[in-house]
Amino acid sequence: MASAPLPMQRVSLAAQASVQVAQDLLTMSLSTTREGTDPQLVQSQLKNALDTALTLAKKEARPAQMTVRTGRFGLSPRYDRNGKITGWQGSTELVLEGQDFARISETAGKLSTLTVSGASFGLTQAQRQSAQAQAQAQAIALFRQRATEIAKAFDFKSYSLGEVSVNYDEGGPVFQPQMKAVRAMAVEDASVPVEAGMASVSVNVSGSVQLQ
């Protein structure tokens, strides 16, 4: 009966690989606020502003290139120091998202009843999966290389894999445009200036090997 491997023959190690890919998904939020003493009037004003923007945005929508959806829509009372309601304030939001940055920025500039309140870049599922596959292959190759080098360094001929864990990190920089500049540019040329960056997709491979 073969003897059990000695604990000292087990080695824990880790390897990481990162792939830089272009951000190919833009999400842009547009919103507006209204105030007044009549909650029904404030709500009606918000609805009209949203309906006008939504109608125009839908005409420009294209599958994958730009999708349109409504965001938050809320109304809340304003109180004085005695707890009495003095008025109402509400806000509404429209979200444009897709891969056609030019279409999204041009559409946003045309929506006169809403203003850009935020924008962020990310990765589509296809872009993310492709980057993960590349990073995973690199991380596993590096893990195996290190395991081989460690085995040789300890005068062992080979190794066998023990428990291995693969973790994905989809973090990366997100672009946030300056809203004052965005509004000024939108008035001048009916287009919101945007520029995507690069995202980093990392894969970590960690585990143990049994030296043989």
Side-chain angles (χ1 to χ4, degrees):
M1 180 178 180
S3 59
L6 297 176
M8 66 186 66
Q9 293 175 233
R10 298 190 186 95
V11 178
S12 297
L13 65 153
Q16 181 187 58
S18 297
V19 174
Q20 298 290 322
V21 292
Q23 295 170 319
D24 63 341
L25 182 68
L26 171 61
T27 302
M28 185 172 289
S29 301
L30 300 96
S31 63
T32 189
T33 60
R34 294 289 189 276
E35 297 183 13
T37 57
D38 184 347
Q40 294 298 326
L41 178 59
V42 173
Q43 180 172 299
S44 177
Q45 291 174 341
L46 289 172
K47 184 178 182 302
N48 290 338
L50 179 61
D51 286 344
T52 299
L54 188 59
T55 298
L56 177 58
K58 282 185 174 181
K59 293 180 181 179
E60 304 297 328
R62 299 291 186 279
Q65 296 179 32
M66 187 186 82
T67 59
V68 181
R69 68 176 186 273
T70 56
R72 67 180 186 279
F73 189 108
L75 190 66
S76 58
R78 299 177 63 185
Y79 300 91
D80 61 17
R81 62 182 58 186
N82 298 316
K84 182 180 178 181
I85 296 178
T86 59
W88 295 81
Q89 182 179 51
S91 64
T92 187
E93 180 184 46
L94 185 68
V95 180
L96 309 179
E97 185 175 76
Q99 295 178 260
D100 190 337
F101 299 168
R103 179 179 295 274
I104 292 173
S105 63
E106 290 172 3
T107 300
K110 296 175 182 177
L111 304 183
S112 59
T113 58
L114 303 177
T115 56
V116 176
S117 57
S120 63
F121 287 94
L123 301 177
T124 59
Q125 184 177 2
Q127 185 83 319
R128 184 183 300 110
Q129 290 178 344
S130 176
Q132 286 178 344
Q134 295 178 50
Q136 177 179 281
Q138 294 176 16
I140 291 175
L142 181 57
F143 183 93
R144 297 179 62 180
Q145 177 184 335
R146 289 179 177 175
T148 299
E149 292 172 349
I150 290 173
K152 290 182 178 180
F154 283 105
D155 296 325
F156 286 87
K157 295 181 179 180
S158 62
Y159 67 89
S160 62
L161 286 175
E163 183 176 352
V164 177
S165 176
V166 180
N167 297 299
Y168 303 90
D169 180 6
E170 300 172 13
V174 176
F175 174 77
Q176 293 288 352
Q178 296 294 323
M179 290 301 105
K180 291 183 179 179
V182 167
R183 291 195 183 100
M185 292 292 291
V187 171
E188 294 174 4
D189 60 11
S191 178
V192 177
V194 293
E195 183 178 354
M198 301 294 289
S200 178
V201 176
S202 300
V203 174
N204 296 276
V205 178
S206 60
S208 63
V209 296
Q210 178 66 46
L211 304 181
Q212 297 177 335

